[in-house]
Amino acid sequence: MKEQAPHFELPYITGESTYNLEDDIEKVIVLTFWTSWCPDCGKDLPKKEQLYSTVDHEKVKMVTINVSGRERDVKEGVEFAEKFLNQPTLVDEGRMTYDLYACQGVPTTIIIDQQGNIHDRFGDQASFLDVVESLGALI
C-alpha cells in the first residue's frame, strides 16, 4: 500500500509568495529538508543543485525546505539559501512539515511520484547516487 504524501503549503524563503504541493502532483517531486548548520546538508545540497540544473523541469519539481524550527537563528537559513541555492526554497513553519513527513534528521529527501504517493525516503546517511537512481525509476 502506497503512502499518500501529506499536502502542505509553505512560504518561499524570500517571503514573496507560497508554494502548494498540490500544484505539482502530476510531476515527480523531490523534497529536501535541511538546516544551515548541518555538515551533511552542506555536502548534499550542492549535489542537488547540480541535479536541479540538469533535470527536465516539466517532469520533475525539486524543492528544498529549510527547517526553521531546527535552526539556531532563522536568518542563517535565509543567508544560506541566498548564497548557495537556486532551486525553489521554502521555509517550514517551525518543524510542522518536517514532522508531517516523519523526518528523523537533516538532510531528509522525499521523492513523491506522479500520483502524489511517497515513492522513496532517504535519511541523512543516504548516498546521492541512491537518490538519483530512485528518481530515475520514475522518469
Side-chain angles (χ1 to χ4, degrees):
M1 181 89 184
K2 293 193 173 190
E3 177 188 353
Q4 185 74 32
H7 287 233
F8 65 86
E9 183 171 344
L10 288 174
Y12 286 95
I13 203 159
T14 55
E16 292 160 18
S17 58
T18 60
Y19 171 79
N20 190 322
L21 183 76
E22 291 180 14
D23 294 343
D24 285 318
I25 283 304
E26 293 178 2
K27 296 181 181 180
V28 175
I29 304 168
V30 180
L31 302 177
T32 303
F33 292 87
W34 61 276
T35 58
S36 63
W37 52 262
C38 157
D40 289 329
C41 297
K43 291 182 202 135
D44 180 64
L45 287 168
K47 293 174 185 168
K48 296 261 178 59
E49 280 294 303
Q50 285 184 312
L51 181 62
Y52 176 74
S53 69
T54 62
V55 296
D56 180 346
H57 296 281
E58 296 295 311
K59 294 180 183 169
V60 179
K61 177 73 173 189
M62 292 181 68
V63 179
T64 76
I65 301 174
N66 176 241
V67 186
S68 61
R70 296 201 55 199
E71 287 286 2
R72 294 183 193 103
D73 183 336
V74 175
K75 283 186 243 142
E76 291 175 14
V78 174
E79 289 167 7
F80 184 95
E82 287 173 349
K83 207 183 281 185
F84 299 112
L85 300 176
N86 291 312
Q87 56 194 302
T89 300
L90 312 176
V91 61
D92 202 352
E93 294 172 11
R95 293 174 46 135
M96 189 184 75
T97 310
Y98 176 84
D99 290 340
L100 196 60
Y101 278 84
C103 299
Q104 301 293 310
V106 284
T108 294
T109 304
I110 309 285
I111 298 178
I112 301 169
D113 68 19
Q114 296 92 328
Q115 290 75 44
N117 298 308
I118 294 179
H119 172 72
D120 235 330
R121 168 187 310 267
F122 297 94
D124 57 348
Q125 298 304 308
S127 88
F128 180 68
L129 188 58
D130 289 345
V131 173
V132 172
E133 285 176 354
S134 178
L135 177 61
L138 291 175
I139 52 176

